[in-house]
Amino acid sequence: MNLAQRDRQVIWHPYTHQKGMLDPIPIIKGDGVYLIDEQGNKYIDAISSWWVNLHGHAHPYIAEKIYEQATTLEQVIFAGFTHEPAVKLAERLLPLLPGNFSKIFYSDNGSTAVEVGIKMALQYWSNLGESGVGSQEFGVKTQPRNKVLALNNSYHGDTFGAMSVSDRGVFTLAFQDKLFEVIFIDAFTAPNSELPTPDLSQVACFIYEPLLQGAGSMSIYEAAWLEAMLEKCKEQKVICIADEVMTGFGRTGKLFASEYCETKPDIICLSKGLTGGTIALGVTACTEKIYNAFVSDDKLKTFFHGHSFTANPLACTAALASLDLLQKTSCDQQRELISKMNSRFLAQLTTHFLPTGQAGSLLTKNHRQLGTILAFEIDNGKDGYLNTISSQITQIALSKGVYLRPLGNTLYIMPPYCISEEQLQKVYDVVEEILEEL
Ligand SMILES: *Cc1c(COP(=O)(O)O)cnc(C)c1O
């Protein structure tokens, strides 16, 4: 049996319709932007392997650092013990983060980073209640706030808390009645939109993906709308949780998408690009005010949360190595190059593939871009994740040496930053060929 057949015997793949699924492609090597299969076929990884990879696959510098750490200290319990990579990473991250953060809490991935953020916010209010630390701050004895505000079309992960604050759609349908109650509002995609005005007095926290809703079809909404919303939340003492699991580490043209707004979050969740996409790691950072609500003589005010591999030294080391690469001027220049090429390509697409474009090819709509990320819809069938054009596009793109995985009929490009001009041009060429041929 070959590897694909052995896989079919024992593996269940994520987000994969099992019936009629195609054999998975065995990848034997990663090299820069390329994924290389058993036959030696090379594919440009145009979606950064589910949005995680920043500097290319099997990066020798990150690999070297991980190796050194693995032969020094691979893992240690993180309660009662600490280690250099965890402390150093926190020391380096805190001044880079968009806001006045003072503590880093480690976990395992994006979903857990979100769970931690929501739990911190809810327990903050619970700790403040009654005789809580700083309850005088609010003058009156109030009911702890317990409502959560989130955005329609959002995606925050696949664990129950993360699903609860995510859009109630195809991903969460089977669990609908087990998810906790959340107030959902629309993020506005047009300027000068009216702010929704839900009653915020009982709201503990507002969680949002700043500007770009990734799994929600890469939709982009107005920074001005978010700014107004954040100001309103701050006025009403609502804790603002920025989920930058996808937008963090330079994807959107700023180091963090929260930098597009003046009002900064109280909690931020990071993962994906954190380790350059090499090892799973989650970070939830919070402000001093939130942390202080957990500092008490009352042991019940402890944050009872942790994972076996919290602050794994290998993962922290990979994150430090990735930061070294990310902070090089050459990496800034690469991200600028990608942004520029993206706008040029979109302008070109606009002339060819809008409804007034050439006959015979597929039409596109809603062209959009934020920094290194570009997206548009293919005007074919019903908009949404279940649109089957996605798997057709993946197949054709692979046959042309590019890996794309559209979200339904939303085609997007999110390359590793190390992609060269020629390689990115090849991705664009393949996209155009697909639009012409399909
Ligand atoms: C991917 C993603 C998550 C979940 O991260 P995992 O590591 O896949 O659990 C959470 N929030 C956002 C915005 C994401 O894009």
Side-chain angles (χ1 to χ4, degrees), residues 51 109-111 155-157 209 243 245-246 272:
W51 323 344
N109 55 60
S111 303
Y155 175 80
H156 297 290
E209 294 158 274
D243 178 354
V245 167
M246 196 230 85
K272 291 202 166 118

Side-chain angles (χ1 to χ4, degrees), residues 131-151:
S131 62
V133 184
S135 56
Q136 306 93 317
E137 191 187 326
F138 304 102
V140 280
K141 251 170 71 171
T142 46
Q143 276 289 103
R145 299 182 183 215
N146 60 6
K147 292 195 193 318
V148 177
L149 184 66
L151 300 180

Side-chain angles (χ1 to χ4, degrees), residues 123 168 371:
Q123 194 180 338
R168 303 300 161 88

Side-chain angles (χ1 to χ4, degrees), residues 50-52 108-114 155-159 162 209 212-215 243-247 269 271-272 280-281:
W50 250 345
W51 323 344
V52 301
D108 296 355
N109 55 60
S111 303
T112 57
V114 165
Y155 175 80
H156 297 290
D158 288 342
T159 50
E209 294 158 274
L212 179 69
Q213 298 184 304
D243 178 354
E244 295 230 26
V245 167
M246 196 230 85
T247 50
C269 309
S271 188
K272 291 202 166 118
L281 180 67

Side-chain angles (χ1 to χ4, degrees), residues 30 46 114 121 126-127 156 196 261 269 312 325 334 352 356 415 417 425:
V114 165
S126 147
N127 281 3
H156 297 290
C261 290
C269 309
N312 173 255
L325 300 173
Q334 273 299 115
H352 290 301
T356 49
Y417 303 152
Q425 190 55 52

Side-chain angles (χ1 to χ4, degrees), residues 98 151 154-156 187 206-214 219-223 225-227 230 240-248 251-252 255-261 263-265 267-270 370 373:
L151 300 180
S154 60
Y155 175 80
H156 297 290
F206 167 48
I207 183 164
Y208 57 98
E209 294 158 274
L211 267 57
L212 179 69
Q213 298 184 304
S219 60
I220 295 172
Y221 65 91
E222 284 290 304
W225 177 84
L226 181 59
E227 177 62 39
L230 292 178
C240 299
I241 307 176
D243 178 354
E244 295 230 26
V245 167
M246 196 230 85
T247 50
R251 290 281 185 208
T252 67
L255 198 52
F256 296 96
S258 292
E259 291 170 29
Y260 283 100
C261 290
T263 306
K264 299 295 190 273
I267 291 177
I268 188 167
C269 309
L270 306 169
L370 196 62
I373 301 166

